Amino acid sequence: MLRDQIRLLLGTAAVFAAPFQVHAQAVDTAVQPGDIVVTAQQRSERLQDVPIQIQALNGTTLQNAGIRTSAEALSLTPNASFDQGNTYKSTFITMRGLTQINNADPPVAFVIDGVPQTDQTQLDVNLYDVERIEILKGPQGALYGRNAEGGAINIVTRLPSDRLEGFGDILYGNGNQIIGSAGLSGPLAGDKLLFRLDGTYRHFGGLIDNSFRGDHSDFVDHDWSLRGRVVAKPTETLTIDLRAEYGDFRAASNYYSAVFSGNPNDYVNPQFNLPGFAYGHNLNLTAKIDLDLGFATVTSITGHTDLKQTNRADLDYRNPVDSPSGIFGLGFQAGQGQDLGLKTTSQELRIVSNGHERLRWLAGVYYLHTDRDLHTRAFVDLDSDPNQIDNPALLFANKQESNSNNAYAAFAQVDFDILSNLTLTGGLRYDEDHRNQLDLIAGLRRKTSFHHVQPKVTLTYKPTQGFLLYATYSTGFRSGGFNAPDVSIPMFDAETLQNYEAGFKAQLLDRKLTINGAYYFENVKNYQYFFVDAATASQIIANIGRVHIQGVELEVTARPLPGLELSGAVGTTLSKIKADADPADIGNRTPRTIPFSSNLSAQYSVPLTDTVTGLARLDWQHFGKKYWGADNAQVQDPYDLLNLRAGAEFGRFGLYFFTKNLLNAKYYTEYVPTKYSGLDVALGYRGRPRTYGVEARVKF
């Protein structure tokens, strides 16, 4: 398999490299119409000039594809998935085999307007008024720091405009789904002071039936947010960018189905008796200051987040009529709840050289402080009322912890053009993470620290205009930490990896055809994974000793006719457990792995009259077999999602019809076998069935 992947990658590169002369020559890197510009390396560059596999989605693409959440955006990227599960806002990002786990750091750096989002409850964001999303694959630790092992997701919201403009958007779909967003932007004091105010609202009655309660388990009562932004330019060299966002939500939570057959391809509806829900709010504040010194730009980014979430749910995921023996056959039903409070404050200061000189450099420092309080309880359920959690006599598990950590980092990167078409890049980052946990029940305190050096070296060669080859050695680091007090595994170790990658980027036929590809190999130590001990309401993180992951990625974009754009991509993630405390798992694939995934998109825009333009778009995503546990005993069959969108634009007004999951594919976004659920029954989290509706949009 490895030999075949290398042949595929090198063979494709050779086909397009053969006609090219390979002597040194000047290569034009100037931005031309139609080029995609990204800031993946903290400076503006053409996407095709960056030696990283990047999927870039601008605001227009997001709108045309009907993408409204970060989860939907990541679904267009092979070797990546963004699954729902557990509490509302809780997500499981998996990229190149590195996966999200509960109560721990994510496997990718998730950055919004320069501010890292460090908790899994912060990653499922509503996308509105977004400039672009950059999805970087492969370790990005040298620039993005800890938790960027699998890659980085960089979300850039739209800047205020220097003229008055606005938009409004409303969607209505089945399941009584209502989504609206609106925004207004313009000058407050000429071009020296600009503003943007926007917001979004979501309501959903639900489509996944609870067979016992007779209601919908996946409802969203409300999820809204309001964002304000002001950009001041007091001088030609100084820019001050201030942003504030507040959101509030109440929605379904923990709507797992009890899968009595133990078969991950047995798709059943939830049947629990105790209603699951979550509510909370979050506040995000950002201050960015740019000072142009001429030879370089100094940037300061300060971020603060205050998030609270209350969660209540069934624990046995059954009901007293169909399962009168209750949890573990003890004769009673059980419920659970978590109260989460999260506060983070971050500060980054960096300096980046200006221009496109032969030597380009950047350097910076970073600080993060996090306070995370978590209160977890399990109780005897007598009457299906979630408020029973406040009765001490009914509690059989009660854990309350206060976690804090201080993280420090220093980083630098240098790009040097050895020749006009040969560049050597070197990056280095040092991360240090100090963790502190207080058991508020027992009054016990634990402290530990982790640190790691993350180097990166890349050699980039541009043999001719429109063609790039690169080879990269990079590293990744995800901090360890404490599990909840009094669990069987008190601590989990830091996860580290080494990545070896070779890739190419090519633009042909007057930039009408783009082909990018890469082969990667990762050596992972202390791979982190997650399981549950339901009897003590404990969520536990543990380590797999050593894992090898390798794969190939290939992406093609073509514009064969005016108005027609085609794109497709494939990705493989072949993981193998090389060392583990459980010898039976050696040789298996890692949890949540999808060895093969692919997607295809087709969009056609055509003038219907002098004032009307028609738009049609198809998005198809294929997900191969999914291995849920390290024992590989439970494997979900492949499935496909097909989304269609069509409409017409009448100048500043647009009307569109859409359907998602047209074929009504059935799948679980999370499946927990009994070995890892801690229960006497497996659990499945149903994926959303077919949705459809109409959307109207106006801009001025």
Side-chain angles (χ1 to χ4, degrees), residues 118-119 200 358 482 614 662:
T118 58
D119 191 89
T200 185
R358 187 177 185 184
F482 295 108
L662 173 64

Side-chain angles (χ1 to χ4, degrees), residues 101-121:
I101 48 183
N102 284 334
N103 302 326
D105 296 331
V108 300
F110 195 95
V111 181
I112 301 178
D113 289 334
V115 178
Q117 313 297 300
T118 58
D119 191 89
Q120 71 182 110
T121 58

Side-chain angles (χ1 to χ4, degrees), residues 409-629:
F411 58 92
Q413 180 168 299
V414 175
D415 297 85
F416 179 68
D417 295 333
I418 302 172
L419 300 172
S420 59
N421 61 349
L422 183 65
T423 301
L424 179 65
T425 301
L428 187 67
R429 185 181 185 108
Y430 175 75
D431 279 284
E432 193 168 295
D433 188 12
H434 299 269
R435 305 226 163 191
N436 186 319
Q437 183 188 80
L438 175 62
D439 181 347
L440 296 176
I441 302 297
L444 300 177
R445 184 180 296 275
R446 298 186 289 179
K447 295 182 180 181
T448 191
S449 61
F450 304 89
H451 58 86
H452 197 70
V453 176
Q454 299 181 79
K456 181 178 182 179
V457 180
T458 301
L459 187 64
T460 306
Y461 178 49
K462 300 177 181 178
T464 191
Q465 179 68 30
F467 195 81
L468 175 149
L469 298 168
Y470 72 89
T472 292
Y473 168 77
S474 55
T475 57
F477 163 64
R478 177 157 50 163
S479 187
F482 295 108
N483 283 308
D486 300 323
V487 302
S488 57
I489 301 176
M491 285 185 59
F492 56 97
D493 292 328
E495 181 180 84
T496 62
L497 70 79
Q498 296 174 310
N499 177 68
Y500 305 86
E501 183 172 339
F504 71 93
K505 295 188 174 185
Q507 282 190 319
L508 308 169
L509 305 177
D510 195 25
R511 302 193 180 198
K512 294 180 180 179
L513 178 64
T514 300
I515 304 177
N516 299 335
Y519 164 77
Y520 66 93
F521 174 82
E522 299 173 341
N523 180 24
V524 188
K525 294 183 178 180
N526 295 321
Y527 184 100
Q528 295 176 1
Y529 74 101
F530 173 85
F531 65 95
V532 174
D533 179 8
T536 60
S538 299
Q539 299 178 339
I540 302 174
I541 302 168
N543 297 97
I544 296 173
R546 187 161 55 90
V547 169
H548 285 173
I549 304 173
Q550 60 179 316
V552 165
E553 295 165 346
L554 188 65
E555 177 184 347
V556 180
T557 301
R559 299 176 177 87
L561 299 171
L564 178 62
E565 181 173 328
L566 306 173
S567 62
V570 297
T572 64
T573 301
L574 306 179
S575 62
K576 179 177 289 188
I577 297 174
K578 305 295 289 186
D580 188 37
D582 186 350
D585 291 343
I586 295 176
N588 290 345
R589 303 190 188 279
T590 51
R592 306 184 72 90
T593 292
I594 300 177
F596 178 83
S597 58
S598 60
N599 64 51
L600 176 67
S601 297
Q603 179 177 301
Y604 185 51
S605 178
V606 58
L608 301 177
T609 69
D610 292 340
T611 58
V612 181
T613 300
L615 175 72
R617 182 180 176 97
L618 175 150
D619 289 291
W620 167 76
Q621 299 135 36
H622 172 76
F623 300 89
K625 291 182 177 181
K626 190 163 189 174
Y627 294 78
W628 289 108

Side-chain angles (χ1 to χ4, degrees), residues 81 89 94 163-164 181 193 221 306 330 358 362 368 403 411 452 482 485 528 532 543 586 619 630 633:
S81 63
K89 295 288 187 182
T94 301
R163 61 181 180 84
L164 187 64
S181 59
L193 186 63
D221 179 79
D306 188 344
L330 297 176
R358 187 177 185 184
L362 65 86
L368 170 69
N403 297 274
F411 58 92
H452 197 70
F482 295 108
Q528 295 176 1
V532 174
N543 297 97
I586 295 176
D619 289 291

Side-chain angles (χ1 to χ4, degrees), residues 209-409:
D209 295 326
N210 185 307
S211 60
F212 176 76
R213 293 180 52 83
D215 56 10
H216 293 128
S217 295
D218 58 333
F219 72 91
V220 178
D221 179 79
H222 68 269
D223 186 349
W224 61 263
S225 58
L226 184 66
R227 181 170 62 217
R229 191 169 185 178
V230 175
V231 174
K233 301 179 180 179
T235 70
E236 292 295 323
T237 59
L238 179 63
T239 301
I240 302 173
D241 184 353
L242 305 177
R243 184 176 73 95
E245 183 175 25
Y246 182 83
D248 188 273
F249 59 87
R250 181 182 178 90
S253 183
N254 291 78
Y255 51 89
Y256 290 96
S257 302
V259 186
F260 291 98
S261 67
N263 181 358
N265 301 295
D266 179 15
Y267 303 108
V268 296
N269 283 334
Q271 55 176 287
F272 49 77
N273 63 291
L274 194 149
F277 62 88
Y279 61 88
H281 61 266
N282 60 279
L283 172 68
N284 297 300
L285 303 173
T286 304
K288 181 182 178 184
I289 301 174
D290 292 298
L291 178 62
D292 190 345
L293 303 178
F295 71 96
T297 298
V298 176
T299 300
S300 169
I301 303 177
T302 306
H304 178 74
T305 294
D306 188 344
L307 179 149
K308 293 186 184 301
Q309 177 169 300
T310 298
N311 182 74
R312 300 291 182 263
D314 207 300
L315 180 57
D316 56 282
Y317 298 104
R318 286 160 285 185
N319 62 78
V321 175
D322 298 320
S323 301
S325 59
I327 188 170
F328 301 118
L330 297 176
F332 64 86
Q333 306 293 307
Q336 62 173 313
Q338 283 190 323
D339 302 318
L340 171 67
L342 176 72
K343 291 184 178 181
T344 66
T345 301
S346 64
Q347 175 64 54
E348 180 172 333
L349 184 65
R350 66 172 180 260
I351 181 169
V352 182
S353 65
N354 289 336
H356 297 280
E357 304 299 326
R358 187 177 185 184
L359 178 67
R360 301 172 298 281
W361 51 268
L362 65 86
V365 293
Y366 175 75
Y367 169 74
L368 170 69
H369 175 76
T370 302
D371 288 315
R372 188 175 188 272
D373 297 326
L374 185 64
H375 190 189
T376 302
R377 288 170 285 178
F379 59 92
V380 175
D381 173 21
L382 301 178
D383 58 9
S384 303
D385 184 356
N387 291 323
Q388 295 172 102
I389 195 172
D390 296 318
N391 183 348
L394 297 179
L395 295 182
F396 62 86
N398 186 18
K399 300 179 184 298
Q400 191 169 7
E401 59 189 88
S402 178
N403 297 274
S404 66
N405 80 290
N406 290 290
Y408 310 85

